[in-house]
Amino acid sequence: METRPQSPQPPGVPRWVAMFREPTSGAWRLGAESPDRSPVLYAIGEMAQVMRARGDEVTVALWGPRGGAWHRFDAPVTVTGPAEPPPPATPAAQEPTRLAERMHDRRHQVLMAGLSKAGLYDLAPDDVTAVQTLVDRLDEATLRRVAHWMAVAGTGR
């Protein structure tokens, strides 16, 4: 049975805080803080992606206010291993033009924004592959529609 390290309570008045465990030292550090939960959840996803890209193990705990006191809202989450690298380009593939590359990046941003609004901030390797597939195969108008559906689902409307 795996036991995860427990995050210490953050200092100061209760607010939304993400505590990250340093993989090398084992020490906990404050990674993000805000009076609102959403920016902290977004920061957790972004920091987890960066840490996984470096090959680091990601352990994070979310703290926040409940009844005027500190409360840990979820058990520490540990994600190991690097993010999946993109598959190598085939020799027959041609270099994309600057415009095609920008449009690809734009479609990716649109989809990631939709996922964030739906409450999905930290993507597993399978999720990253699914996002890449959608970005590669859908036109921008269709992708925007899908992102809109996710954003509406995230607001509970």
Side-chain angles (χ1 to χ4, degrees):
M1 178 176 184
E2 177 187 350
T3 59
R4 293 188 174 116
Q6 293 297 314
S7 163
Q9 178 177 308
V13 297
R15 61 205 178 281
W16 291 100
V17 172
M19 298 289 289
F20 284 86
R21 187 167 181 263
E22 291 286 338
T24 54
S25 68
W28 287 87
R29 68 177 173 86
L30 190 135
E33 63 180 310
S34 174
D36 299 315
R37 183 178 177 151
S38 294
V40 174
L41 292 176
Y42 180 80
I44 288 173
E46 291 294 313
M47 291 180 77
Q49 286 181 359
V50 169
M51 292 175 76
R52 276 197 315 227
R54 290 188 301 211
D56 292 341
E57 177 181 275
V58 181
T59 304
V60 62
L62 177 65
W63 288 83
R66 179 182 275 172
W70 281 109
H71 178 75
R72 187 173 48 231
F73 279 85
D74 55 357
V77 177
T78 302
V79 180
T80 58
E84 289 285 319
T90 61
Q94 295 181 354
E95 283 291 315
T97 65
R98 181 88 172 123
L99 177 60
E101 186 177 320
R102 284 183 54 212
M103 293 307 290
H104 183 273
D105 291 346
R106 186 170 161 171
R107 288 192 310 270
H108 186 268
Q109 289 174 343
V110 165
L111 189 55
M112 292 304 291
L115 289 169
S116 293
K117 289 191 179 199
L120 301 170
Y121 302 96
D122 184 26
L123 301 181
D126 289 344
D127 298 328
V128 171
T129 302
V131 166
Q132 191 61 44
T133 301
L134 287 171
V135 167
D136 289 343
R137 294 186 181 166
L138 296 178
D139 61 278
E140 187 171 354
T142 305
L143 201 64
R144 284 188 180 280
R145 195 70 198 150
V146 170
H148 171 74
W149 293 338
M150 287 186 275
V152 170
T155 62
R157 285 192 241 171

